Amino acid sequence: MPHPNKNSGKKNAETFEFRSIGVIATPFKQKFGIPRQSQALSTATGIIQFASDINPINACRGLEAFSHLWISFIFHENIQSGWKDTVRPPRLGGNEKVGVFASRSTYRPNPIGLSVVKNIGLNEYNDLVIAGVDLLDQTPIIDIKPYIHYADSVNDAISGYAEGAPAMKMQVNYSPLAYSKLQTLLNTYPDFECLLNNVLEQDPRPAYKSAMKDEKIYSVLLHNVDIKWQVRDTINYVLDIETH
Ligand code: SAH
């Protein structure tokens, strides 16, 4: 029997074209280290620079009354990589597969991301400043909508394998060298210590690494700062910090 909604005569696949409304500047210059969901990192701020034909004063009028926003964006770094219909979510330790639509995978049939962020407001250049971002620097933004508490939050929602808060936060310690370099950095980026702690305490390593002995020296780039760190016992130990 044919599917009741099947429109046999007409083309049932359609394509749509979207434009970017702007790009976002964030501290994350590479995918490694970015939190897996936006709210996990309230210290990471992003600045949306609007396209030249958009007047932010008009297009954002009234937005200042909303504390949180939905940001739709393109996973632009993944566009070439395609997608698979099953994925291994990090929350399942990378061992179990679920369908792409049961996941927040960044490899999707349409590479669209959706994040709830805090609204800080327009700055003096009429860029929109937001906090709690999980977006790569220079990500194209395709839409902004106000977060509406009564409609968007569901008190008794059940979240499958993603139920409950993510795994325990890791402790972060610094070598004396790294710590002294960090202090000078705070002149340029006052929130840097907080940002770095947030990034490392959520253990950015691939999920399977946390279960085995791991002596690797990892490197993560935030703004123009390269951070080298290693796991010692169960602590993330920052070895060195270098500004490029
Ligand atoms: N909250 C969003 C994104 C969750 S995934 C959603 O659910 O749709 C967050 C991950 O997206 C980050 O860890 C980072 O690795 C990846 N990411 C962020 N911006 C990206 C971009 N422009 N291209 C590809 N991957 C990106």
Side-chain angles (χ1 to χ4, degrees):
M1 215 170 85
H3 189 281
N5 290 334
K6 201 119 196 172
N7 202 339
S8 53
K10 283 193 202 147
K11 220 171 63 165
N12 61 10
E14 302 214 26
T15 57
F16 305 89
E17 208 168 274
F18 294 120
R19 52 158 298 179
S20 115
I21 59 156
V23 291
I24 190 165
T26 80
F28 304 114
K29 309 292 172 193
Q30 48 171 213
K31 286 191 277 181
F32 181 65
I34 307 184
R36 294 185 184 113
Q37 283 305 329
S38 49
Q39 290 302 300
L41 238 193
S42 54
T43 43
T45 49
I47 300 176
I48 298 174
Q49 293 147 343
F50 288 97
S52 57
D53 63 320
I54 291 180
N55 177 345
I57 307 261
N58 289 341
C60 298
R61 186 181 301 169
L63 200 65
E64 67 282 358
F66 293 86
S67 66
H68 290 79
L69 311 173
W70 288 109
I71 304 292
S72 311
F73 59 95
I74 303 292
F75 290 119
H76 72 303
E77 288 254 318
N78 297 354
I79 293 176
Q80 310 304 333
S81 318
W83 64 283
K84 291 205 180 88
D85 59 4
T86 58
V87 301
R88 299 168 190 271
R91 283 294 287 274
L92 289 173
N95 307 318
E96 251 179 88
K97 284 187 177 178
V98 302
V100 64
F101 299 134
S103 84
R104 301 298 281 258
S105 168
T106 61
Y107 300 90
R108 322 187 64 84
N110 292 305
I112 296 177
L114 189 62
S115 298
V116 176
V117 298
K118 195 167 187 301
N119 180 17
I120 309 290
L122 292 179
N123 66 11
E124 73 243 63
Y125 308 107
N126 289 329
D127 303 323
L128 184 64
V129 184
I130 57 180
V133 295
D134 54 358
L135 282 70
L136 200 58
D137 187 39
Q138 300 306 306
T139 295
I141 306 298
I142 54 169
D143 204 6
I144 299 166
K145 294 179 186 181
Y147 177 92
I148 298 176
H149 198 275
Y150 88 87
D152 294 342
S153 102
V154 180
N155 284 335
D156 54 356
I158 294 164
S159 306
Y161 62 84
E163 197 65 61
M168 220 181 66
K169 289 181 175 168
M170 286 182 87
Q171 195 182 322
V172 181
N173 285 355
Y174 293 82
S175 73
L177 172 73
Y179 199 72
S180 73
K181 289 187 178 178
L182 178 68
Q183 298 317 303
T184 38
L185 254 181
L186 297 180
N187 299 324
T188 325
Y189 304 111
D191 291 336
F192 199 86
E193 184 169 359
C194 217
L195 176 66
L196 179 55
N197 284 337
N198 280 177
V199 165
L200 295 186
E201 71 193 9
Q202 44 113 30
D203 196 1
R205 297 174 302 159
Y208 67 91
K209 288 280 191 185
S210 54
M212 52 198 245
K213 190 163 168 55
D214 181 9
E215 289 175 339
K216 187 174 161 170
I217 295 176
Y218 291 91
S219 162
V220 64
L221 197 60
L222 297 173
H223 296 289
N224 58 339
V225 184
D226 186 19
I227 297 109
K228 297 255 185 299
W229 55 280
Q230 194 176 35
V231 176
R232 293 194 178 170
D233 297 321
T234 52
I235 294 169
N236 276 337
Y237 188 73
V238 181
L239 301 162
D240 200 2
I241 291 178
E242 221 165 307
T243 308
H244 291 301

